[in-house]
Amino acid sequence: MPNAKQIAVISAGVLLIAIMILSVVIPLITGIGTNPVVNVEGIYVYNNGNWKKIDTNGTLWLPKDKGTYLIYFRNLNCPACQQFDAAWSDYFKNYMPKSSFNITPVEIVCTYFSSNCQDPSARATFNAFEQSLGQYFGTPYIVLISNGTFIYFNFPPVESNGTFSSQSLNQTITEVLYNYYHPPTQTNTTTTS
């Protein structure tokens, strides 16, 4: 028969194992954590290695501070989003960390646009973009905001074979940001007679 000290050690071991298992299982189930694709409706901002869910109380979300935000509008029931997810994940893991620009990734996730979205914050944000862009809004959709200015909003770039690639996404985002921070100078030419 184990004594009280042995029972305490066994209990502590079982508790530690349970905590370790839950720390792996919960992020897999919820889709929240360091995974580059969130599988739960809502607005998520990536910060310090984790996705943080944002609650706007059912109003439009836009970044309130300075900085560069790369926003991915994603529908869980969207076949094109499911195809883009691989390129987004690769860009998120392999390109974004090496970028000379400090980019904060954001995912705005609904099941299917504002018409099938239980999260009020994501629904309001999807609805605002649907209303403002009309037929030019679909998913997957990428929005790049820097210092409060919309500098890119479009579908992700597509390769000539019709697929998405992280390399093309990186090239597009890098070019847009470079041109934003280093606008081309205009030279005036005057002619003399």
Side-chain angles (χ1 to χ4, degrees):
M1 183 97 184
N3 62 30
K5 186 176 180 181
Q6 291 171 327
I7 291 174
V9 169
I10 292 170
S11 297
V14 169
L15 180 62
L16 181 61
I17 290 170
I19 290 170
M20 290 171 41
I21 290 171
L22 289 175
S23 70
V24 172
V25 171
I26 289 173
L28 288 175
I29 292 171
T30 64
I32 301 171
T34 57
N35 184 12
V37 178
V38 178
N39 291 314
V40 178
E41 286 186 359
I43 299 172
Y44 299 89
V45 177
Y46 195 76
N47 190 3
N48 296 323
N50 288 299
W51 289 105
K52 179 184 176 197
K53 188 171 184 179
I54 304 297
D55 182 2
T56 63
N57 294 316
T59 63
L60 167 68
W61 176 86
L62 291 172
K64 291 181 176 43
D65 58 347
K66 299 287 185 192
T68 300
Y69 293 83
L70 179 60
I71 305 165
Y72 172 19
F73 281 88
R74 183 168 178 270
N75 281 308
L76 296 172
N77 289 346
C78 165
C81 294
Q82 293 163 7
Q83 291 173 4
F84 177 66
D85 287 346
W88 172 258
S89 295
D90 189 53
Y91 173 76
F92 183 95
K93 291 177 182 175
N94 297 315
Y95 289 97
M96 200 178 305
K98 299 173 188 171
S99 174
S100 59
F101 303 101
N102 186 17
I103 300 171
T104 301
V106 177
E107 289 189 21
I108 301 177
V109 184
C110 279
T111 298
Y112 196 72
F113 297 97
S114 62
S115 63
N116 186 0
C117 193
Q118 300 306 308
D119 183 273
S121 302
R123 182 176 53 245
T125 305
F126 255 89
N127 187 48
F129 276 80
E130 289 167 350
Q131 296 302 315
S132 64
L133 294 170
Q135 68 182 5
Y136 300 104
F137 181 75
T139 56
Y141 203 79
I142 300 295
V143 175
L144 190 59
I145 300 174
S146 191
N147 299 321
T149 302
F150 285 80
I151 58 175
Y152 180 84
F153 44 96
N154 208 338
F155 300 100
V158 178
E159 298 291 318
S160 59
N161 63 3
T163 62
F164 298 109
S165 95
S166 58
Q167 185 176 8
S168 292
L169 179 61
N170 181 58
Q171 182 178 354
T172 299
I173 298 305
T174 302
E175 285 176 10
V176 168
L177 285 169
Y178 182 83
N179 290 333
Y180 174 71
Y181 286 109
H182 305 96
T185 57
Q186 293 182 333
T187 56
N188 290 335
T189 55
T190 55
T191 58
T192 56
S193 347

